[in-house]
């Protein structure tokens, strides 16, 4: 059966808010469930390895109630078979990339800080993509595509149609938080790139697209949709 590598950002601190930041629960749990139901083998890893932490507002048990409806994540973070998957994760550099059939980069607030200039992770993603395998990224994880370059020096997203966290969604998030959250906005930066086609659907609508071997999902509500695009691309 296909083997999926899910790459999750390590914990970080936001230079904008000073808050601890990490991955977004729904982007891990919903995609993991789709892959599991397809019968796939799944490995959860991170650039630096070790224990991972979720963005607080993505926690269905957080006092804000922002993600209280997310019963899939609630089950994932409490079930014995899944709750420890974010503990002691393997380091990306220690993995044999050739043993995976697809990779899936989970978003959250941390990638905007910990991955945007991480040339090692960008190189891993570029090499994986150039090997002809399905490469998927969702939400703020798509910030990697702003700087990931192929072996010929061109951007991976050159000539590609893709999506990521939209300006309208950044505005919504900042309104909910009552302050600025991100050091930059993905859509703003993507639209500065010549020869690429960045598109979005309605705010917080489930939206994922595939262009060749590249799969992207707009935000947390698109994680399952992106996973299903990966499954379709793999033929099961």
């Amino acid at each position: 059966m296909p083997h999926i590598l899910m790459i999750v950002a390590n914990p970080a601190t936001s230079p904008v808010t000073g808050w601890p930041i990490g991955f977004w629960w729904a982007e891990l749990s919903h995609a993991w469930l789709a892959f599991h139901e397809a019968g796939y083998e799944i490995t959860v890893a991170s650039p630096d390895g070790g224990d991972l932490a979720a963005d607080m507002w993505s926690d269905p048990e957080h006092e804000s109630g922002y993600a209280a409806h997310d019963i899939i994540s609630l089950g994932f973070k409490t079930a014995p078979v899944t709750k420890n998957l974010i503990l002691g994760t393997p380091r990306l550099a220690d993995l044999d990339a050739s043993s995976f059939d697809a990779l899936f980069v989970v978003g959250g607030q941390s990638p905007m800080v910990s991955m945007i200039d991480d040339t090692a992770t960008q190189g891993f993603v570029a090499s994986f993509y150039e090997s002809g395998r399905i490469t998927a990224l969702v939400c703020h994880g798509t910030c990697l595509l702003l700087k990931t370059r192929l072996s010929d020096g061109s951007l991976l997203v050159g000539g590609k149609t893709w999506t990521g966290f939209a300006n309208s969604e950044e505005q919504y998030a900042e309104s909910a938080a009552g302050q600025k959250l991100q050091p930059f906005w993905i859509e703003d930066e993507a639209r500065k790139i010549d020869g690429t086609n960045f598109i979005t659907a309605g705010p917080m609508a489930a939206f994922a697209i595939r262009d060749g071997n590249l799969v992207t999902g707009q935000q947390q509500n698109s994680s399952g949709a992106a996973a299903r695009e990966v499954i379709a691309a793999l033929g099961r």
Side-chain angles (χ1 to χ4, degrees):
M1 296 302 296
H3 191 173
I4 308 296
L5 172 60
M6 300 191 75
I7 302 175
V8 184
N10 294 100
T13 300
S14 169
V16 179
T17 66
W19 299 342
I21 52 178
F23 69 92
W24 197 270
W25 266 117
E27 296 169 37
L28 172 61
S29 63
H30 290 234
W32 187 95
L33 181 61
F35 294 138
H36 174 72
E37 289 181 336
Y40 293 175
E41 183 178 356
I42 308 161
T43 294
V44 177
S46 58
D48 298 332
D51 295 349
L52 306 179
D55 288 330
M56 59 183 179
W57 283 11
S58 75
D59 186 341
E61 297 182 293
H62 188 258
E63 60 185 12
S64 68
Y66 185 81
H69 62 286
D70 186 4
I71 60 174
I72 292 176
S73 293
L74 179 61
F76 190 100
K77 72 186 289 279
T78 57
V81 295
T82 52
K83 68 179 183 179
N84 292 326
L85 293 179
I86 65 169
L87 303 178
T89 59
R91 189 170 66 110
L92 205 54
D94 294 334
L95 299 177
D96 176 8
S98 66
S99 65
F100 301 98
D101 299 285
L103 69 74
F104 189 98
V105 178
V106 172
Q109 293 191 63
S110 177
M112 300 284 281
V113 175
S114 66
M115 287 184 170
I116 186 61
D117 292 315
D118 181 357
T119 56
T121 299
Q122 292 164 14
F124 187 99
V125 170
S127 177
F128 195 93
Y129 176 81
E130 286 191 293
S131 72
R133 286 170 289 171
I134 302 299
T135 303
L137 309 91
V138 296
C139 196
H140 287 106
T142 62
C143 74
L144 273 172
L145 296 174
L146 297 172
K147 296 188 177 183
T148 295
R149 293 186 177 275
L150 304 177
S151 57
D152 63 1
S154 64
L155 282 171
L156 190 158
V157 291
K160 292 292 184 181
T161 296
W162 58 294
T163 190
F165 208 75
N167 283 357
S168 60
E169 292 159 344
E170 296 288 13
Q171 292 164 354
Y172 172 82
E174 289 192 355
S175 176
Q179 65 176 89
K180 179 178 173 60
L181 296 176
Q182 302 298 347
F184 61 91
W185 288 3
I186 292 172
E187 182 174 353
D188 281 345
E189 299 306 310
R191 297 199 182 283
K192 296 175 185 177
I193 301 173
D194 292 332
T196 194
N197 183 32
F198 185 88
I199 62 174
T200 63
M204 298 302 172
F207 181 59
I209 53 177
R210 178 188 173 199
D211 187 341
N213 286 335
L214 178 65
V215 174
T216 49
Q218 185 168 318
Q219 39 21 35
Q220 65 266 28
N221 298 329
S222 307
S223 178
R228 289 188 288 275
E229 288 287 345
V230 172
I231 292 166
L234 292 175
R236 177 182 175 131

